Amino acid sequence: MMKLEAAIFDLDGTLLDSMPIWEGLGQNYLLQKKVQPAPGLQDTLNTMSLQQAAQHFREAYGLREDEETIIWEIQTLIADLYRYEVPLKAGAAEYLQTLQEQNVKMCIATATERKLAESALERLGIREYFSTILTSSEVKAGKDNPLIYHRAVEHLGAPLTKTIIFEDALHAIETATSAGFRVVGVYDESAAQDRERIEALTEQYIYSFSDWKG
């Protein structure tokens, strides 16, 4: 196995066991606005950044609030969970420490908004491992577009062949592998139904970071 020089980590469902708090969030938000969600709303939102979701709520449901207000309102619903409760995935802290000891450069590439990401990472004591946090909103592209991964590689400055992306969601893995990135699939219950497809696309599929053979 070629020596690893850099690692790009997704956040929710990969490092953080946080996907359960997102299930039903969009539906609950719309219901608070007295708007009836369409069937399959969660499937629609699963591939979207928060910015894209806010745009969808305006276009599909006629919400009058601007996108920044919608994002702020959604963040407010879950901010305390990131600040106080969301746990790390099994073996994540130990694996990050190992990579740091091996001088592997690391960053975060996430669809989650920066304030939520930073509050969880700082509470869990792992913010120091990452040289930067890249968010979909800030790069102005969701993970249906490889831009966030290209920006991460540019920041880390390592060759593509010596860089690994850790992701749990099929749509993000499809984007990254189609763009030529090396990807390790990380199991999350929210994507359990996609396991076979993820295994076919990734160079390794792990249930815990203690399983990674890198």
Side-chain angles (χ1 to χ4, degrees):
M1 174 82 63
M2 187 175 295
K3 184 180 184 299
L4 190 63
E5 292 187 9
I8 301 165
F9 288 89
D10 172 53
L11 191 63
D12 295 286
T14 299
L15 284 176
L16 301 184
D17 192 8
S18 53
M19 291 308 293
I21 71 173
W22 290 94
E23 294 296 325
L25 180 63
Q27 175 176 302
N28 292 338
Y29 175 72
L30 289 175
L31 290 173
Q32 284 189 3
K33 297 285 186 183
K34 298 184 169 29
V35 175
Q36 186 61 42
L41 174 64
Q42 189 61 49
D43 292 335
T44 300
L45 297 179
N46 280 343
T47 62
M48 293 183 175
S49 67
L50 208 46
Q51 188 87 36
Q52 289 171 319
Q55 183 179 357
H56 177 71
F57 288 154
R58 282 173 50 81
E59 293 175 354
Y61 294 95
L63 297 191
R64 295 181 179 179
E65 293 84 354
D66 59 33
E67 290 176 16
E68 289 71 23
T69 299
I70 293 172
I71 290 169
W72 180 83
E73 289 177 342
I74 292 173
Q75 284 182 304
T76 300
L77 291 175
I78 58 173
D80 282 351
L81 295 175
Y82 276 81
R83 193 173 294 120
Y84 301 117
E85 296 184 29
V86 169
L88 276 173
K89 285 289 195 75
E94 295 82 0
Y95 182 61
L96 294 171
Q97 177 66 33
T98 298
L99 289 185
Q100 185 183 63
E101 292 169 356
Q102 295 172 353
N103 296 315
V104 174
K105 296 176 283 188
M106 294 176 274
C107 73
I108 297 286
T110 179
T112 297
E113 295 298 298
R114 176 173 295 278
K115 286 183 179 179
L116 297 179
E118 288 186 336
S119 64
L121 293 171
E122 288 169 5
R123 170 178 56 82
L124 292 163
I126 61 171
R127 176 61 182 89
E128 64 182 290
Y129 293 120
F130 306 105
S131 56
T132 195
I133 298 172
L134 297 168
T135 72
S136 292
S137 292
E138 291 169 352
V139 303
K140 302 190 184 311
K143 288 189 175 179
D144 54 346
N145 183 314
L147 178 61
I148 194 169
Y149 303 122
H150 287 299
R151 291 281 175 82
V153 169
E154 289 170 9
H155 168 79
L156 294 171
L160 221 59
T161 55
K162 297 184 179 182
T163 302
I164 287 282
I165 296 173
F166 291 88
E167 277 280 4
D168 68 297
L170 176 59
H171 76 279
I173 289 168
E174 288 176 333
T175 297
T177 54
S178 293
F181 292 93
R182 298 173 60 195
V183 182
V184 169
V186 180
Y187 173 79
D188 191 78
E189 187 176 351
S190 65
Q193 71 279 4
D194 300 321
R195 180 180 59 82
E196 290 186 7
R197 175 66 176 152
I198 291 173
E199 283 186 322
L201 288 170
T202 55
E203 61 180 62
Q204 191 177 156
Y205 185 68
I206 60 175
Y207 285 84
S208 163
F209 282 97
S210 59
D211 297 335
W212 162 237
K213 306 295 190 295

